[in-house]
Amino acid sequence: MRTFLRDNSLTLAFGAAFLLALSGQAVVGHIEFNEQLAVDDLYPVPFGSYVMSSDFAVDVTENWQSE
């Protein structure tokens, strides 16, 4: 196990950074999306529904495209 962690530490670190960034984008995007729904007098959506929606997918792909 120690050899695996040492040999793959860079991959694991970048993978963790990627997951943290994607999670942060999901949380902030969900908050913003629900705020926009509130402005339009619509009901907020749950986090899971937002993450599975096309709105989240578009935001992620646009972010990747800009990088």
Side-chain angles (χ1 to χ4, degrees):
M1 183 66 170
R2 176 173 269 186
T3 304
F4 174 80
L5 292 176
R6 183 178 49 90
D7 290 345
N8 296 299
S9 59
L10 186 61
T11 301
L12 294 171
F14 277 114
F18 170 75
L19 291 177
L20 285 172
L22 190 61
S23 299
Q25 184 176 357
V27 169
V28 173
H30 178 246
I31 292 168
E32 182 202 358
F33 187 72
N34 278 338
E35 286 176 355
Q36 186 60 42
L37 289 176
V39 168
D40 296 335
D41 289 329
L42 299 171
Y43 293 108
V45 297
F47 182 74
S49 296
Y50 172 72
V51 171
M52 298 301 292
S53 72
S54 62
D55 290 303
F56 178 65
V58 167
D59 290 342
V60 170
T61 55
E62 284 178 356
N63 189 23
W64 286 351
Q65 182 181 11
S66 71
E67 297 302 323

